[in-house]
Amino acid sequence: MPSWNQHFKGLLDLFLQANCPLCQRPTSSEICLNCTRQLQRCHQKHPHALWQQPIPVFGLGVYGGILKRAIAVMKYENQPEIARCLGQWLGEAWLLHSLHQTTQILVVPIPLHASKQKQRGYNQAALIAQSFCQVTGLKLKQNGLARVRNTTAQFGLSVSERENNLAQAFAIGQDFRHSHPNAPVLLIDDIYTTGATVKSAVETLRQNEITVLGLAAVATAVKNSYMKN
């Protein structure tokens, strides 16, 4: 017969459970087991397939389905805890598949403009980067870049319009302003689409003679031939 302690523990577990932000089922973790399995099925078999010049990209999954929804919920429905899982999986994929197995890399998240971050309450790329670094052991430079122009939304713009929108949007952040990094920089973002954002960020870093290794993103809108079935 169950003891009073077992009953109390069961009630406590039930009380402490929250709803999964993606399906609203009760869960004791950030994302329920069912949604976690669906998200993990979105992972690419070869996330390094886009790792090529001019800007190498390491992509955990393809932007669509439940992965697209998870990113949208994280950003627009005040669910920053999703970033911890996404950053963890991105870090695990980096350790398994990256072509650069060295700890001499500095991780820099793509920043939000101060007004947008104040409105949202957090920068999802920075949260992903924190979790990514906890898994990989790489050093985080959260303020390696600063966003100095509050650009309009990229959705619906052509490639050239996106590039013009992001021209001179970034500047060197306080982490690198007075101390030039000796190690290459790996940028982190939630989504890689046309590449306009990362191109602007890379140009800013390279103009200041900072070596950029590439970008690691949770999702890419560019499919590759190695995607899992």
Side-chain angles (χ1 to χ4, degrees), residues 187-221:
L187 295 167
I188 298 283
D189 208 357
D190 53 345
I191 310 167
Y192 173 79
T193 51
T194 64
T197 300
V198 68
K199 181 180 178 183
S200 180
V202 168
E203 285 176 353
T204 298
L205 291 166
R206 287 177 176 168
Q207 284 168 4
N208 287 269
E209 300 181 343
I210 296 172
T211 302
V212 180
L213 193 66
L215 169 78
V218 170
T220 68

Side-chain angles (χ1 to χ4, degrees), residues 17-225:
Q17 282 192 337
N19 290 335
C20 172
L22 300 180
C23 70
Q24 302 307 311
R25 292 187 182 95
T27 179
S28 56
S29 55
E30 286 89 351
I31 301 172
C32 76
L33 184 60
N34 182 55
C35 288
T36 294
R37 286 171 176 162
Q38 291 184 60
L39 284 165
Q40 289 177 334
R41 283 198 289 269
C42 295
H43 297 183
Q44 298 192 87
K45 189 175 182 181
H46 298 279
H48 57 280
L50 298 174
W51 195 263
Q52 54 196 356
Q53 296 300 331
I55 300 176
V57 176
F58 184 93
L60 177 66
V62 173
Y63 188 54
I66 191 172
L67 184 56
K68 181 178 180 179
R69 170 160 166 71
I71 290 172
V73 170
M74 172 183 64
K75 292 166 69 171
Y76 306 120
E77 297 183 23
N78 193 32
Q79 299 290 344
E81 68 276 6
I82 293 175
R84 192 194 71 79
C85 298
L86 298 180
Q88 176 186 330
W89 296 330
L90 183 61
E92 289 169 353
W94 179 266
L95 291 177
L96 282 172
H97 301 286
S98 169
L99 306 177
H100 298 270
Q101 296 299 333
T102 173
T103 57
Q104 301 305 308
I105 295 172
L106 300 177
V107 172
V108 175
I110 296 291
L112 290 177
H113 189 268
S115 61
K116 187 172 287 186
Q117 183 159 335
K118 183 178 180 181
Q119 180 183 24
R120 184 172 295 167
Y122 51 90
N123 174 14
Q124 71 282 349
L127 298 178
I128 291 166
Q130 287 174 6
S131 188
F132 176 88
C133 288
Q134 287 171 358
V135 171
T136 61
L138 299 180
K139 191 170 184 179
L140 177 64
K141 290 292 184 179
Q142 188 145 323
N143 298 303
L145 277 171
R147 198 149 191 162
V148 293
R149 280 188 57 226
N150 190 10
T151 53
T152 57
Q154 296 281 82
F155 181 77
L157 300 181
S158 68
V159 174
S160 60
E161 286 171 337
R162 285 176 179 235
E163 290 183 356
N164 290 333
N165 185 38
L166 285 159
Q168 299 180 327
F170 299 100
I172 295 300
Q174 62 185 22
D175 284 346
F176 295 156
R177 208 167 288 154
H178 305 295
S179 177
H180 192 282
N182 295 320
V185 163
L186 176 68
L187 295 167
I188 298 283
D189 208 357
D190 53 345
I191 310 167
Y192 173 79
T193 51
T194 64
T197 300
V198 68
K199 181 180 178 183
S200 180
V202 168
E203 285 176 353
T204 298
L205 291 166
R206 287 177 176 168
Q207 284 168 4
N208 287 269
E209 300 181 343
I210 296 172
T211 302
V212 180
L213 193 66
L215 169 78
V218 170
T220 68
V222 182
K223 293 185 180 182
N224 66 66
S225 58

